[in-house]
Amino acid sequence: MASLFWRGLIILPLLFVYVNGEHFFYPKRHTGKAELAGYKGPDSLAVDGGGFYSGPLIADDDGSTADGNAGGTTEVKVENLGKADGDNTNGNANSVESTQVAAKNGIGNGTIVEAKTTFKGSWELFVENAGVSAMHLILLPKINQALMFDATVWKISKMKLPGPPCRRVEGTNKEDCYVHSILMDVETGKIRPLRLNYDTWCSSGALDINGRLVSTGGYNNGSDTVRILDLCDTCGWEEYPGALGNGRWYATQVTLGDGRFMVFGGRDFPTYEFVPPQGQKNTLKDVIDFNFLVETHDPVENNLYPFVYLSTDGNVFIFANNRSVLLNPNTQTIIHEFPVLPNGARNYPASGSACLLPIMLKPNEDRKVIPAEVLICGGASHDAYAKADLQRPKVFLPGNTDCARLDITKRNGKWKIINMPSARLLGDMVVLPTGDVLIVNGAKTGSAGWDDAREPNLNPVLYKFQTDGTGSKFTVLNPSNIPRMYHSSFALLPDAKVLIAGSNTNPGYLDDALFPTEVRVEKFSPHYLDPNLAMFRQEIIVEKSNDQVKYSQKFIVQIRGNGEIDQQKLQVTVYSPPFVTHGISMNQRLIQLGIVEFNKNVAPNTNNIVLQAPMNGNIAPPGYYMLFVNYNGVPCRQSMWVQFLP
């Protein structure tokens, strides 16, 4: 009865170890006595170790003392094409010039023009107590509310339900009256608690064509559950236990071009299945064995929460541990395997991070193959979890320092590997409206698991998607003062800031741990929100723009700004909000649209942009996207929600 193994698991006690003087305790984040439900969780199990150390890791200086803005003042750098990063010659704080960045690797659409700045970003505390630690996070369309939830298994949080009914704890006569799921207004911080009955611990999710969240799996009574949250002021979770054919704990959900969902893997289940329609149930006959997940399973796993992306040709890219394949979802066969990515493991609990890089479309697009690339950064050695979780005293191995990039539409594609400024695991990768990638959160040593990582990586790093080929692709940005370790999360916001939340290395809610359970929520303003670049921020006139568009259709977005607009400095992108958990951002997708026409001065300081929608659902699965108009590399004041339909 292997399929019932984890559901019937007898939990062993978690071993806490003394932290010696070489590590330090961060100041307590919350007042009051430590709160812990007492449940230790299967992440603490002393399973058989093993694996191997994949070779020396290069731990470069993280650049935290690099020149540039330290927070507060801004210098705008005038940088010409061909000048290397860090060359501040001719810097002028009172003027801004633009740099043309030629597209590389055959994936671009002409040139991208952007203003240059030395601003390294800024942090703000948005909410002091979210009530729950955001193990899972997604921005919901139209209502602009961030959905955050943790797990019911601990029977405690930092917020009580406003009143009955409380959740009945399965198998007991006890009640759980704590909040485990909230909606947070991303402008005001106002919180609305949501009730949950089936455990969401380490679950998955994606938005459907109408913007509803469809979430799958979890732990215990939630492992085979499908749950749906609609978009209204009074909507709550609709839960459908028993809807999945296998339990899905640490599984990955992906949206296909026709809007259907697939869910891959999960602890003890090397299988996948299509998520059934609302109210229907899968049986074991609907479950497909997937031997790839058997082959990539280390003694300490390292293949949970696989990285899964829909390619532009309709095939599904799956990366687990250090291997990757293309799966045809219609024939359910593997059609290609890519080269092994060296230097350790990348998936849970080694826990690197990944994203699909921007998909670049041309005006009147007619290419048969639209290139698509993945970027995978960080992770750990194959035995990092065994060393940190199972060995006594604990040993925290250094995380990986590399980033690897691969075109998944090429059958002869090879990994292109470069080093980051510092080691990182447990991190997150945010694809920004401009196409650049923000690497944030995480640690420098250890592994995922309870108390299994050290050395918070407090500095975000900016990865330049396109460069002129002369300078570094990485820029170290200003640090937060809040460690974001295991179970951290993010959401890209309509104003182009990044919401940062979560972090819990403890099996419950603890205030006096080395890294306390974190319920504070921050906002990070990336480099493009330099106050000296505010002149470039356009305003989308929503009532004069098309917000519901069919594939391939041409549509209008109207913008208003200051002064004359140069079309060559315009970029329009659409972004699908991801379901974020455990360093994985399910269905995160940014697409640069082709500008077909640019009609100037349709009204004072007002212009119309004529765009072409993506050609089909393989490029942009049906549903809601945040549309950004970037000018000189600076996003608009507020994105617009647009729905792509078949």
Side-chain angles (χ1 to χ4, degrees), residues 130-188:
V132 302
S133 187
M135 178 188 296
H136 314 83
L137 175 58
I138 187 170
L139 179 70
L140 296 183
K142 299 193 295 184
I143 62 174
N144 287 342
Q145 295 191 36
L147 173 66
M148 305 178 186
F149 55 97
D150 58 3
T152 64
V153 67
W154 297 304
K155 304 181 286 292
I156 199 168
S157 69
K158 290 289 184 179
M159 182 182 292
K160 286 285 192 75
L161 288 167
C166 295
R167 182 182 70 92
R168 180 73 62 181
V169 178
E170 56 276 8
T172 73
N173 293 321
K174 298 179 180 180
E175 288 187 335
D176 172 12
C177 297
Y178 284 90
V179 172
H180 299 289
S181 175
I182 65 160
L183 282 172
M184 177 183 292
D185 188 293
V186 298
E187 291 291 335
T188 66

Side-chain angles (χ1 to χ4, degrees), residues 413-449:
K414 296 181 180 179
W415 293 103
K416 300 174 183 178
I417 302 176
I418 58 175
N419 270 338
M420 295 185 288
S422 60
R424 194 180 302 259
L425 61 141
L426 308 174
D428 288 294
M429 296 173 68
V430 190
V431 183
L432 298 173
T434 57
D436 295 330
V437 178
L438 182 74
I439 307 172
V440 67
N441 300 335
K444 296 180 182 179
T445 62
S447 167

